[in-house]
Amino acid sequence: MKHLFYLIFLFFSFALVPAQQTDYVDFKSANGLLGVRFESSEIGGQVWYEFEVLKSVDSIFINAVNMKIDAVTIREVDGSITELDYNNDGKKLWLNYDFKEGLAYKVHFNYKAKPKRALYFVERESEAQVWSQGQGQGTSHWFPSIDDVNDKLVFNLSVTLPKEYTFITNGKETASIPLPDNYVKWHYNMQKPMSSYLVALAIGKYDKTTEISKSGIPLEYYYYPEDSLKAEPTYRHTKQLFDFLEEEIGFPYPWQNYKQVPVKDFLYSGMENTSLTIFSDGFVTDSIAFIDKNYITVNAHELAHQWFGDLVTATSGEHHWLQEGFATYYAMLAERAIFGDNHYYWQLFKNAQELIAQEAEGQSTSLLDPKSSSVTFYKKGAWALHILREKVGDSAFKSAVTAYFEKYQFDTVKTSDFISEIEIASGQDVSDFVKEWLVETSFPEDTVVKSLKQSQFMQEYFSVNCEVFEAKCLDYLVSDVSDASKIKVIGQIADKIDAGAFQNGIKVRQAIAKYVDKIPAELKFQYESLLEDASYVTIENALYHLWVNFPLDRVKYLQKTKDIRGFNDYNVRLLWLALHLNTVEYQSEKKEEVLDELIRYSLADRHFELRMNAFAYLKLLDAFNEASIKSLLEAMSHHNWRFSKYAKELISELEQVESYKQIINKFKQ
């Protein structure tokens, strides 16, 4: 995930003796029979909990935030069902009873909730979706659950929905039963326990395709029916990633199946719910978008979490790197198996650049600091594992990881648990490593550079420097040095390239479109060829720079690109609309229609990334109207934190413009 919540464990008192709830009760399973009301954004149903009492106690709790609870019953030891005394304080459902040590109990109740977080009801372009994001003690806002990650249990969910909707949740679908009035009852089953923050659901209109892994695990890929041609490029290499991780980790995939489902306006890039990754549909790509922005890194990262985070879970935020650092590292290894060593070292290098920049800003922290940034948890964590593997060797490292899972599967772990397995497998004392990489706040830059220089690819990249060897630089662009080195050259001498530079591959040509903004007349023909590339990034940059540099040919460039949308944020289309409005001689009778289209993309029934892009162009063109300003004001309370932050900042800017200020005040009143 790109943004982190840190887990705060709840303590409470029994008979004035402070203790964690897990000391008194071991929850075994939770079964939910749910119903969803789209029109009122409500969820509810029946819940059954089974648990064993570890120490006699007169009350236990289930986390249930702002829920209505009724019909609470308990199955007595003799099998009879009786009403149970309970107290609902708005955060917890307290079950009051003379619970006896060593006995198992089953409790049943009804609940209803209208969640303000963790379960989102989204309607876009007349299609409804519901999806969850439970990390950070969120699940208890939509399903009565156990916030403490240290208590793992089996969750089995069922739901009744209109037949046009698909229900996806953790585990294996065991039945979808047709009911009267065009409804379907869905049943899912889990076999192994998990922390409740990993409980998830997604409801929407989906088709799916399935592959089978080398070990026989079904890999289920969901997609919108209209995106059938995007399913393959979106999920490309998934089976290869899965098969690699099973072999590399040395411990079998622990769940019944693996499902992936895109949703609209997701909070982050993806979330590793047990057996069910939910991810942003911004990563749903066609074969062209795959070149520039694909799902592979997110895919590999969330898949690695099925082991690191889901199978073994950090006991607290102090050990969060055991999840994010490992998922990042193993995703890099999986991509290395597909794209090669150079790709792996390039990712390491980019991560190091971010960590060095973070340190330069005075923001470096320890990997064991629960308040560390995502850059630290993800990227320093991955670097730490890379260095540790170099230190102890491949064999010892892999043996330690396998032993780690064999010992702690379906359990919670601390950093010392993993380090202990490393020391046993390698026979080495790694306390110096722990101090330098896990405890200290500084980023060991010298060690990093030394490791990177083991790659000839990186040695070459470091040696290519036009600021020192300017005379060689044009030769670099027609040599066999790597694309990364050529891109570095173009960034340094963008004003000096010649026609030979255009003979390179798509990534180098993309850099030309990005960095060469002043186009010499003698390169016009070659530069125009960039509009033919299978890259939406290249087309967007090339269209803009050609439009600026050659005013007499603007109509030609607009006509050539009029049918291209680009990514899911319509990057090419929105640029085209803005350029159209600024090209007086092109389709003058359609200016109002073009502006209306741009405004339409800013409205509430569109994906938030498309809306952000549309708002940016409306600001640039000074073209907001009442509908778009109203939409921007509504966006200030959008559930996606990036979008709401953007909207608030943009509203603050518009309030400085008198004409917009009047409209804003009108709607605020």
Side-chain angles (χ1 to χ4, degrees):
M1 293 180 54
K2 302 295 182 191
H3 187 75
L4 306 172
F5 286 93
Y6 305 103
L7 305 175
I8 302 172
F9 302 127
L10 301 178
F11 293 77
F12 67 105
S13 174
F14 290 113
L16 303 180
V17 180
Q20 287 182 311
Q21 170 145 315
T22 50
D23 290 342
Y24 287 83
V25 60
D26 180 12
F27 285 93
K28 299 295 187 181
S29 68
N31 290 273
L33 178 56
L34 309 180
V36 175
R37 292 182 179 272
F38 293 95
E39 65 279 2
S40 58
S41 301
E42 291 181 307
I43 188 169
Q46 301 182 63
V47 180
W48 293 262
Y49 262 98
E50 296 190 42
F51 53 89
E52 179 182 346
V53 173
L54 306 177
K55 296 178 184 178
S56 295
V57 67
D58 62 6
S59 62
I60 63 173
F61 69 79
I62 296 169
N63 297 97
V65 180
N66 297 325
M67 294 181 181
K68 295 180 180 179
I69 307 286
D70 63 20
V72 183
T73 61
I74 186 168
R75 185 178 63 192
E76 301 278 7
V77 176
D78 63 5
S80 62
I81 305 296
T82 63
E83 290 188 11
L84 182 63
D85 182 36
Y86 70 95
N87 178 43
N88 178 10
D89 65 9
K91 294 183 179 179
K92 299 181 181 71
L93 169 63
W94 290 92
L95 307 175
N96 305 316
Y97 190 76
D98 185 18
F99 295 108
K100 297 296 185 182
E101 179 178 340
L103 296 183
Y105 297 88
K106 186 172 184 177
V107 171
H108 167 271
F109 55 90
N110 298 331
Y111 87 100
K112 183 185 292 184
K114 188 171 184 177
K116 294 182 179 179
R117 54 168 287 203
L119 190 72
Y120 300 93
F121 292 74
V122 179
E123 185 166 345
R124 294 289 175 267
E125 300 179 67
S126 302
E127 287 199 4
Q129 281 189 353
V130 185
W131 49 262
S132 66
Q133 171 54 26
Q135 190 170 29
Q137 300 184 350
T139 300
S140 58
H141 288 253
W142 66 268
F143 184 78
S145 52
I146 312 300
D147 283 344
D148 189 344
V149 299
N150 293 280
D151 200 352
K152 295 192 172 189
L153 56 158
V154 173
F155 289 87
N156 299 310
L157 298 185
S158 303
V159 72
T160 299
L161 294 169
K163 70 175 185 179
E164 64 266 28
Y165 287 97
T166 298
F167 174 60
I168 310 118
T169 187
N170 313 90
K172 181 179 179 181
E173 178 194 333
T174 57
S176 55
I177 304 169
L179 298 175
D181 300 321
N182 292 319
Y183 276 78
V184 173
K185 187 175 184 179
W186 298 78
H187 293 275
Y188 277 77
N189 166 263
M190 283 289 292
Q191 294 178 345
K192 301 296 184 180
M194 62 179 178
S195 300
S196 69
Y197 79 91
L198 295 165
V199 179
L201 64 77
I203 297 170
K205 296 179 180 179
Y206 293 102
D207 288 338
K208 85 174 176 182
T209 183
T210 302
E211 287 188 292
I212 304 297
S213 77
K214 186 177 180 180
S215 61
I217 299 295
L219 310 176
E220 302 176 15
Y221 314 140
Y222 289 85
Y223 58 91
Y224 306 142
E226 65 270 23
D227 286 342
S228 59
L229 296 179
K230 296 181 179 180
E232 189 284 323
T234 298
Y235 293 111
R236 189 174 295 170
H237 300 305
T238 298
K239 181 179 181 298
Q240 189 174 349
L241 295 171
F242 189 98
D243 292 341
F244 170 83
L245 287 173
E246 270 207 310
E247 182 175 350
E248 173 66 25
I249 292 169
F251 190 92
Y253 178 78
W255 318 107
Q256 295 139 290
N257 55 18
Y258 184 56
K259 304 175 291 295
Q260 298 177 83
V261 56
V263 299
K264 300 178 186 296
D265 292 358
F266 195 54
L267 298 175
Y268 313 110
S269 296
M271 176 62 200
E272 69 277 7
N273 311 293
T274 304
S275 78
L276 169 60
T277 286
I278 294 176
F279 67 97
S280 167
D281 64 4
F283 288 102
V284 173
T285 60
D286 61 23
S287 56
I288 296 176
F290 180 87
I291 300 296
D292 304 319
K293 178 187 177 182
N294 58 59
Y295 175 55
I296 291 176
T297 296
V298 176
N299 188 348
H301 181 96
E302 308 306 342
L303 177 54
H305 268 309
Q306 297 297 318
W307 287 268
F308 301 101
D310 295 8
L311 178 57
V312 293
T313 308
T315 58
S316 68
E318 178 183 350
H319 309 289
H320 194 63
W321 82 282
L322 292 174
Q323 296 175 188
E324 298 301 348
F326 275 78
T328 303
Y329 175 66
Y330 274 85
M332 290 167 59
L333 293 179
E335 290 190 69
R336 183 183 198 172
I338 297 172
F339 302 117
D341 285 353
N342 291 356
H343 179 84
Y344 173 76
Y345 277 98
W346 184 247
Q347 287 180 300
L348 282 173
F349 173 64
K350 290 195 297 182
N351 290 350
Q353 286 182 303
E354 288 190 55
L355 288 158
I356 291 167
Q358 178 179 254
E359 183 157 33
E361 295 171 359
Q363 301 297 317
S364 289
T365 53
S366 165
L367 259 177
L368 301 180
D369 182 349
K371 296 182 180 179
S372 286
S373 69
S374 58
V375 173
T376 297
F377 279 134
Y378 288 59
K379 296 172 182 181
K380 187 177 182 182
W383 256 107
L385 292 168
H386 170 80
I387 295 297
L388 180 61
R389 189 170 187 155
E390 285 188 341
K391 178 179 176 65
V392 303
D394 281 352
S395 178
F397 186 89
K398 292 181 71 171
S399 295
V401 170
T402 302
Y404 174 67
F405 283 113
E406 289 173 347
K407 187 172 182 178
Y408 297 106
Q409 57 184 294
F410 309 109
D411 205 347
T412 53
V413 289
K414 303 182 294 296
T415 297
S416 58
D417 297 325
F418 174 68
I419 295 301
S420 176
E421 297 304 322
I422 286 287
E423 293 187 330
I424 291 169
S426 67
Q428 295 184 35
D429 178 355
V430 297
S431 55
D432 288 345
F433 163 83
V434 170
K435 183 176 185 297
E436 182 179 29
W437 279 93
L438 307 185
V439 176
E440 296 291 341
T441 61
S442 60
F443 182 59
E445 190 172 343
D446 290 343
T447 303
V448 164
V449 172
K450 182 179 178 181
S451 177
L452 288 172
K453 285 185 175 179
Q454 294 181 49
S455 161
Q456 290 186 345
F457 162 75
M458 290 309 307
Q459 289 181 35
E460 174 191 273
Y461 182 83
F462 292 142
S463 68
V464 170
N465 190 337
C466 295
E467 295 171 0
V468 179
F469 305 109
E470 184 174 341
K472 285 186 173 182
C473 281
L474 288 178
D475 292 336
Y476 283 137
L477 295 179
V478 293
S479 72
D480 59 358
V481 300
S482 69
D483 282 356
S485 294
K486 291 178 179 179
I487 291 168
K488 180 180 179 181
V489 167
I490 290 168
Q492 293 179 337
I493 60 162
D495 59 338
K496 297 182 176 66
I497 70 164
D498 58 20
F502 289 85
Q503 301 305 309
N504 284 285
I506 195 164
K507 286 294 184 181
V508 178
R509 287 169 60 85
Q510 187 178 97
I512 294 172
K514 178 181 178 181
Y515 292 116
V516 180
D517 53 2
K518 295 180 180 178
I519 308 170
E522 62 270 21
L523 294 182
K524 179 185 177 186
F525 175 77
Q526 289 84 355
Y527 204 102
E528 288 176 339
S529 72
L530 297 175
L531 293 177
E532 305 286 347
D533 281 17
S535 163
Y536 293 135
V537 170
T538 302
I539 293 170
E540 179 185 10
N541 286 317
L543 172 60
Y544 176 73
H545 290 145
L546 286 165
W547 186 90
V548 169
N549 280 267
F550 303 108
L552 296 180
D553 290 322
R554 287 174 174 175
V555 170
K556 178 178 75 172
Y557 301 139
L558 290 172
Q559 191 64 21
K560 185 176 183 62
T561 55
K562 64 184 176 65
D563 296 321
I564 302 173
R565 286 189 173 182
F567 300 122
N568 289 343
D569 67 356
Y570 290 14
N571 64 313
V572 178
R573 181 62 179 176
L574 266 62
L575 171 64
W576 186 91
L577 294 173
L579 297 181
H580 187 300
L581 291 169
N582 281 278
T583 307
V584 176
E585 65 273 26
Y586 184 60
Q587 297 180 343
S588 57
E589 75 285 359
K590 292 189 175 182
K591 298 304 181 187
E592 185 175 348
E593 178 183 330
V594 168
L595 179 57
D596 286 345
E597 181 181 348
L598 177 58
I599 290 171
R600 191 163 64 249
Y601 293 142
S602 75
L603 302 183
D605 65 338
R606 299 290 180 161
H607 193 285
F608 84 92
E609 290 176 327
L610 173 56
R611 293 174 70 191
M612 285 175 67
N613 207 5
F615 285 138
Y617 276 107
L618 289 171
K619 177 190 173 186
L620 184 67
L621 296 168
D622 192 22
F624 280 93
N625 67 354
E626 288 198 0
S628 54
I629 287 180
K630 182 180 180 182
S631 176
L632 184 59
L633 285 165
E634 292 170 346
M636 293 171 64
S637 58
H638 195 276
H639 66 262
N640 186 288
W641 63 274
R642 287 191 294 127
F643 187 33
S644 61
K645 180 182 178 183
Y646 173 86
K648 290 172 185 175
E649 292 173 349
L650 184 51
I651 282 290
S652 293
E653 293 181 38
L654 296 184
E655 285 180 320
Q656 307 307 310
V657 180
E658 188 60 35
S659 59
Y660 291 147
K661 183 178 180 179
Q662 293 176 9
I663 300 173
I664 292 168
N665 289 337
K666 171 185 172 182
F667 286 119
K668 282 186 174 181
Q669 293 170 1

